[in-house]
Amino acid sequence: MTGRKSHRPTRSGPLDRVLGDRGRGGGFDRLVEGIGERFARAREDRGSRGNKPRGRVAQFNLRNRLILVGGSLGLCAVALVGRALDLQVISNDFYRQQGDARSLREIPIPTSRGMITDRNGEPLAVSTPVESIWGNPKELAKNPERLPELAKALGVSRDELTRKLAQRAGKEFMYLKRRINPDEARKILAHKVPGVFSQREFRRFYPQGEAMAHVLGFTNIDDRGQEGLELAFDHELRGKPGTKRVIRDGAGRIVENVDLVQSAEPGKDLTLTLDRRIQYLTYRELRRALVETGASSASAVVLDIETGEVLAMANLPTYNPNLLSAGNRDTHRNRAVTDVVEPGSTMKPITVAAALNAGAVKPTTLVNTTPGWMPNGRYRITDTHNNGVLTVTGVITKSSNVGAAKLALPLPNDYYYNFIRGFGYGQKPNSGFPGESSGLLAPPSRWSGTTKATMSYGYGLSATPVQIAMAYAAMANGGKLIQPTFVKGQRNEARQVLEPAVAGEIMRMMQTVTEPGGTAKQAAILGYHVAGKTGTTRKFSATGGYSRKYVSLFAGVVPVEKPRFSMVVVVSEPDPTKRGYYGGSVSGPVFRNVMDGALRLMDVAPDDIETWLAVQAAAEAKRLKQNGGKPSGPVVPVATQTVASPPPIAASALVQGGAR
């Protein structure tokens, strides 16, 4: 059987010929060359079939092209590896910073403000932790449907919240509600509104409220001192906030605490010279005086004579530092150091001291004040009545304007000016309290023909209550003037401004003012000798001249034997129809009530036991008479009853208006 011959299609294309060559065992080079030749012939055949002339046939080298492509790919791989090495090893700091800038943040660590205490360690100003709600405006803008819910939780209108967010649309931070109770903050956060967070802050709290407001001052919403000692010692009290580095996610939440950059340093505590008990007594008596006299304002200062420490300083009207939004800014100033008054007759002991110190007179020298007035240029110097012939002591006892003028006029102008200035008038007390005034004391070159005479009884110059208290403390301290201080332990250097013997004589003269026949019997304190001087001046009118409004003053020292306290009381514009307007009847009782309590609180021994025993015996005799001669227990005079400390003030009461 003849075998059938298989007929298969003949492979005539270039690829068939290449494969045929490969099957015959040609090498790779021969294979590449064959491919090139066959592709060239194929192009020539296509050109001839199309009857189109072609130019020079480009030589095609597949090997070179493959090498070129492989080399290019290799270079790309090397470049990618090099770039990765540069990003991850060589230049990684820059890109790490760029990444951190999008997630790593440094946030402040709040620190508490230093505590302020009185001389006995009782807290006067403390910082309590609170929460502040803040939001990310960009994040809140993505969820406008949650804004009504957030506005209701914050206690504001939706329109107000929307307006605030629109104003800070390009920001990532804005406060929504600051310094609120932590419980209130938790209620707001419980709504889980995206972009709303809280942070810890501190808020100042003043336990004594209105009683200490003018001395302590207050802080603003950022816990920085704005008035009073809070401002004066702000740098020490504020401390230094810390800083920590954290990682936040896209929603602003802290996901990791990375590092502590700087630890927080709490503020330093400050111990004042004030005694909160004496301060409360002063505030209470001033408030009572305003009610009973119908006055518009009042100030009082209590100094420790030996050290110059300020034990109390109060002003009315006052404000509640825990609720500043409810107060009038005019009530914020400390009138005792910023407001000046003409000292009136409280100037007469200094005038008499100037005459005694110059050797011009003695305490027993006679001064003729008849007929109760004397000419002074186009004006008259008058007394309330004709006192006739007085001793120099009597000039102070009866508060004679004519007598004071006659003592001052013979003194040289420069001597009299320098003597007054030596007591601190016309210059700042340098107590460290912000805004203190220097008062007004014109030099002799600016005096007119009537200036010295009017200055002798307290007109034509001005001083603050604290300056007057300094001057009286100097007379009680053997003639040594000490600048006042508010910081316990700080002792200013004393300066001798008056001979000790003259200072002692002045003290004995001023003692007669509070005794029978003097102008300030209402300032007397049972069991103690009191030295002082009243003052009554007319207020200067804004239109020129003096108005019909008065300022009532009393400046005193107690006890006379071993002086401990110097106090000045200034009551402005009392109603003449209520208790009059003289310093003895308006300001004298305030001095008596405050000093009566302060002497016993500080355990100051009485220096007038005879009077105390006489009053006690008289009270005992009166009681026996009322009981028919039968004893019914010991009698305790009113002046010896215990003075209660100020009651603690609840936080709720302070929010409603402070101490009452």
Side-chain angles (χ1 to χ4, degrees), residues 18 45 67 101 131 147 162 322 429 539 640:
V18 170
D45 293 342
I67 292 174
E131 294 289 330
L147 294 184
T162 304
N322 297 295
K539 297 193 70 173
T640 63

Side-chain angles (χ1 to χ4, degrees), residues 71-126:
S72 299
L73 294 175
L75 289 175
C76 291
V78 172
L80 290 174
V81 172
R83 182 59 174 165
L85 182 66
D86 178 66
L87 293 177
Q88 299 184 27
V89 178
I90 300 175
S91 302
N92 65 340
D93 290 341
F94 171 77
Y95 296 100
R96 183 182 294 111
Q97 293 174 0
Q98 292 297 310
D100 292 344
R102 290 159 175 78
S103 61
L104 196 64
R105 295 286 186 272
E106 287 189 1
I107 62 175
I109 303 174
T111 182
S112 61
R113 194 173 177 85
M115 182 170 61
I116 301 178
T117 64
D118 78 341
R119 65 186 303 109
N120 300 313
E122 295 291 337
L124 303 179
V126 295

Side-chain angles (χ1 to χ4, degrees), residues 13 79 102 119 152 185 213 215 243 267 376 383 465 469 485 498 505 552 580 627 634 648:
R102 290 159 175 78
R119 65 186 303 109
K152 183 178 180 181
V215 181
T243 307
N376 189 29
D383 289 337
T485 178
L498 183 64
E505 291 175 342
S552 304
N627 294 338

Side-chain angles (χ1 to χ4, degrees), residues 76 108 116 163 200 218 256 290 403 430 515 541 548 559 565 631 659:
C76 291
I116 301 178
R163 177 175 54 81
R200 172 65 59 85
F218 56 88
E256 182 182 354
L290 255 65
N430 293 323
E515 295 176 344
S541 174
R548 290 292 179 181
F565 304 121

Side-chain angles (χ1 to χ4, degrees), residues 38 117 224:
R38 285 167 176 74
T117 64
R224 293 182 175 240

Side-chain angles (χ1 to χ4, degrees), residues 628-645:
K630 297 179 181 179
S632 59
V635 176
V636 180
V638 176
T640 63
Q641 295 175 4
T642 303
V643 177
S645 298

